[in-house]
Amino acid sequence: MQSPIFNNTVNPDQERFAPQGAHMLRVDLSQGEDVLARTGSMVAFEGLVEFDGEYQSARQHQTQWATGEVLPLMRCHGQGTVYLANLAQHVHVLEVDHEGLTVDSSFVLALDAHLHWDVVAVDSQYGIAGVGTYNTVISGQGKVAITTSGHPLVMRVTPQTHCSADADAVVAWSTSLRVQMQAQTSSRSVFRRRGTTGEGWEMNFMGDGYVVVQPSELLPPQHTSFGERLAGHLVPGQNPGLGQHGAWGR
C-alpha cells in the first residue's frame, strides 16, 4: 500500500513535549514524570500508559463551579508516549518560569504534573459580571501546551511599547504585564459593542512580557459529547481577564 499519508510519521524529536504536526502534541512519559492533559484529549498512545481522573480539592471544585472557569484534567502516567489533540486546533508548547502563565482554561491542552494551577479573579473596571472576570494561572517551572484557532500572533510588550487586543481574541499573557480593560463608548451602554464597528472590549497591556492573540474571536466548542452538535462559543469579553495576574515565559 502506498500513499503520501505515510509521510506523516512520528516526530523523532527527543523533547518531552513535542509538536506532532501542527495540530497534535506528543508527550514522552518514559522519563518518569506524569502529565496532566485535558480530559478526553488523548487520540493515541504507545507503550504502557494509564489514564486517571485528576484529583481536585473541594476548594478547586467550588471555585470552578462558582466562576465558570473550568479546567477538566486527567493524569497520564506509565512508560510510553501519548498523543493529545483538541478539535484539530493548533498546538504550541511554552516553557513556563516561576512567574507563571495566565490563560483562558479553554485553551489549555496539557501541563507538567508538578505545575500548580488555580483560578484567579480579575476585576472589570466597569464591574460587569462575566466580562473577563476569571482566568486560570499556571505557575512553577515546566512545560505547558496551549491551543489556538489558527496561527497566533505573539506581541512583545516593553515599557516603551504598549499594545492592545480584542478581548475575545486574547489567549494568554505574561504575569509581569499590567492589564486594563477598555470599551470605547460615548453615551451608549458599555454592555454593547461600540457603534457599528463590531468591536467591543479591548485589553491594554503595559510592562514587560508577551501576549498571545489568536486570529479568531470564537472559543473552541466545549462540553460536547457523542451525538451532540459541535457549536462554537462566542462570548463577548469573557475570554480574557484583567489585573496583574498575568504570566509567563518566553
Side-chain angles (χ1 to χ4, degrees):
M1 184 163 39
Q2 295 182 345
S3 170
I5 195 173
F6 294 114
N7 295 327
N8 296 289
T9 56
V10 172
N11 182 356
D13 195 323
Q14 298 301 310
E15 289 289 333
R16 173 172 158 77
F17 277 46
Q20 177 64 42
H23 309 285
M24 195 179 300
L25 176 71
R26 180 180 64 79
V27 181
D28 181 7
L29 299 175
S30 63
Q31 300 177 25
E33 184 175 356
D34 297 351
V35 65
L36 300 182
R38 188 170 200 86
T39 301
S41 62
M42 185 274 291
V43 295
F45 67 92
E46 299 171 311
L48 301 175
V49 180
E50 296 184 15
F51 305 89
D52 295 313
E54 174 63 2
Y55 170 78
Q56 294 184 9
S57 67
R59 187 188 66 81
Q60 285 177 315
H61 277 293
Q62 183 178 14
T63 301
Q64 291 186 89
W65 179 84
T67 64
E69 181 75 2
V70 179
L71 180 56
L73 294 172
M74 61 180 179
R75 181 173 289 263
C76 311
H77 57 97
Q79 291 294 315
T81 303
V82 62
Y83 298 88
L84 306 170
N86 187 33
L87 302 168
Q89 291 224 303
H90 288 253
V91 176
H92 316 276
V93 179
L94 304 178
E95 182 74 32
V96 176
D97 61 20
H98 64 279
E99 289 182 328
L101 170 73
T102 294
V103 59
D104 188 295
S105 61
S106 302
F107 302 107
V108 176
L109 180 63
L111 62 151
D112 278 323
H114 65 265
L115 292 175
H116 174 75
W117 66 271
D118 205 354
V119 176
V120 296
V122 284
D123 299 325
S124 166
Q125 70 184 92
Y126 291 101
I128 301 174
V131 178
T133 310
Y134 300 97
N135 278 273
T136 297
V137 168
I138 301 172
S139 58
Q141 187 161 6
K143 302 282 191 180
V144 176
I146 64 173
T147 60
T148 62
S149 297
H151 292 289
L153 167 67
V154 178
M155 304 181 73
R156 181 74 169 95
V157 182
T158 70
Q160 295 76 34
T161 307
H162 303 168
C163 78
S164 300
D166 189 299
D168 297 322
V170 174
V171 173
W173 68 90
S174 299
T175 295
S176 55
L177 294 178
R178 301 186 308 278
V179 188
Q180 292 181 338
M181 190 79 82
Q182 176 178 326
Q184 294 291 346
T185 60
S186 53
S187 61
R188 296 179 182 272
S189 168
V190 295
F191 289 89
R192 300 178 184 175
R193 292 189 162 234
R194 60 175 181 262
T196 58
T197 67
E199 300 298 334
W201 292 95
E202 294 175 357
M203 296 183 72
N204 301 321
F205 298 91
M206 295 160 285
D208 189 4
Y210 298 87
V211 180
V212 179
V213 181
Q214 68 175 4
S216 171
E217 298 178 11
L218 190 66
L219 290 176
Q222 304 173 63
H223 310 304
T224 57
S225 61
F226 181 78
E228 294 183 356
R229 181 173 64 88
L230 294 177
H233 294 247
L234 183 60
V235 186
Q238 192 162 342
N239 182 23
L242 84 130
Q244 296 186 24
H245 301 285
W248 109 90
R250 8 177 205 237

